[in-house]
Amino acid sequence: VHFACPISWEIAATLFPELQAAGCTISLDAGWHPEWLRAAETAKLLAQLDWFFPNEKEGAWITGLTEPVDILQSLPSGTVLKLGSKGAAMRQNGRLLTASGPSLTVIDSTGAGDAFDAGFLDAFLEGGDPTEWLRRGVRCGTLSTRAAGALAGLPERSEL
């Protein structure tokens, strides 16, 4: 189950255990919500997620750190840091994994983060190599920027 919004601790405390008991993985991309990102309850909530998808600015805001490696070290395992044109990074079993994006002219970045999340989660659900999960996320996010609007540039499966 993916949440593309901040979720309150009260709702998460009730909902997350039920989802986990049903065998669901839980992922969240809160977006830029400074108060939510820095709230004390957020740390407890993030620890219950399987996947958390902040961008570099959001990760820096939460942690007070600026280097992607440092941000990832201070956030829970399962954090996937979106780095814009630099790709993405995550820690998996103590290793730092990275993926860079294809080079292309950006027309509009609206929805690129959501496209990344979708690509990553699609690859994760297929199983396989975590580096491929990152690569697919980066590819989806990057290709989504080649046209105006959040949907026009989304890649077809054949492009992945």
Side-chain angles (χ1 to χ4, degrees):
V1 175
H2 180 68
F3 294 91
C5 60
I7 186 166
S8 75
W9 171 247
E10 295 79 19
I11 292 172
T14 301
L15 183 59
F16 286 8
E18 291 183 28
L19 291 172
Q20 290 162 334
C24 297
T25 57
I26 305 170
S27 59
L28 180 126
D29 185 338
W32 181 247
H33 294 277
E35 290 179 17
W36 185 90
L37 291 168
R38 284 238 174 123
E41 297 85 13
T42 297
K44 291 189 293 186
L45 189 148
L46 296 181
Q48 294 185 29
L49 297 173
D50 295 290
W51 301 110
F52 175 50
F53 296 105
N55 64 30
E56 190 171 9
K57 180 180 177 181
E58 293 156 354
W61 182 256
I62 294 169
T63 63
L65 303 167
T66 56
E67 292 299 317
V69 172
D70 297 332
I71 292 168
L72 285 169
Q73 290 290 348
S74 41
L75 289 171
S77 178
T79 298
V80 180
L81 193 62
K82 297 179 282 189
L83 303 170
S85 63
K86 297 178 286 187
M90 65 184 264
R91 284 184 300 122
Q92 180 77 11
N93 299 323
R95 296 182 313 141
L96 178 69
L97 304 177
T98 61
S100 57
S103 180
L104 67 98
T105 301
V106 173
I107 304 299
D108 183 2
S109 63
T110 303
D114 294 321
F116 174 94
D117 299 349
F120 180 96
L121 291 169
D122 178 62
F124 165 73
L125 291 171
E126 285 183 1
D129 179 21
T131 301
E132 178 54 31
W133 307 345
L134 271 180
R135 284 187 192 126
R136 188 172 312 169
V138 168
R139 189 154 179 79
C140 285
T142 302
L143 291 175
S144 76
T145 69
R146 62 190 167 172
L151 300 176
L154 288 175
E156 297 290 330
R157 171 111 9 226
S158 62
E159 295 177 276
L160 301 177

